[in-house]
Amino acid sequence: MPDRILRTSAGVLGGLIIILGLTYTWLGITWLISPTPTRLAGIEWAPIGSHTVGIWWIAGGLVALIGGAWSVRPVAAGIGAFAAILTPAVVAGIFLVSVWHGNDHGIITAGSYAPYALLAAWATWRSGRASEDTAHAIAATRHDPQEG
């Protein structure tokens, strides 16, 4: 539905990137205002704080949001999709590494952030496949007048 509200977005992928961008921005805000003990346990091994993770979520969310909103431009769609994949993948990776540093709940948190990256990657791949399928279908329906 965001793709129908914002006429600048390119279909379902653009709408999904907008939704993910809003979600990531909200996650970043919650990291800034509410650094819970389990969140802090996942990053205590790294030389970063909860504000760094919050800013990462917000930055990635805004890039995805803008890329999704202007996804009629392929470059903007690509940048938005990249941000939608990379942002949660990095945070999930941080929590996955925290398991080796004694955070038993890191795998749970990594597992809750990784699906965002997987969803964005799948939708981006599927969107590209749908474009290829459409182009092949159009080419197959064309009639060459020289063939008779």
Side-chain angles (χ1 to χ4, degrees):
M1 296 170 275
D3 57 314
R4 293 181 188 197
I5 295 169
L6 293 170
R7 292 293 175 197
T8 56
S9 71
V12 175
L13 180 61
L16 176 66
I17 294 171
I18 289 169
I19 292 168
L20 290 174
L22 290 170
T23 302
Y24 299 167
T25 303
W26 174 248
L27 282 169
I29 292 168
T30 65
W31 267 87
L32 291 176
I33 63 175
S34 181
T36 64
T38 55
R39 286 179 168 180
L40 295 175
I43 61 171
E44 67 184 4
W45 65 272
I48 59 173
S50 63
H51 286 87
T52 305
V53 179
I55 291 169
W56 172 256
W57 276 114
I58 291 171
L62 292 176
V63 170
L65 181 62
I66 292 167
W70 288 332
S71 62
V72 293
R73 292 185 164 85
V75 171
I79 292 170
F82 183 73
I85 296 167
L86 184 66
T87 303
V90 167
V91 178
I94 289 169
F95 277 91
L96 193 58
V97 172
S98 77
V99 173
W100 285 284
H101 292 274
N103 178 17
D104 297 334
H105 298 289
I107 192 79
I108 296 168
T109 306
S112 68
Y113 290 144
Y116 291 118
L118 295 172
L119 174 66
W122 176 82
T124 302
W125 174 79
R126 188 66 192 123
S127 176
R129 294 281 304 156
S131 297
E132 289 175 18
D133 293 346
T134 302
H136 290 301
I138 291 170
T141 60
R142 291 194 178 134
H143 177 68
D144 186 358
Q146 293 179 348
E147 290 182 26

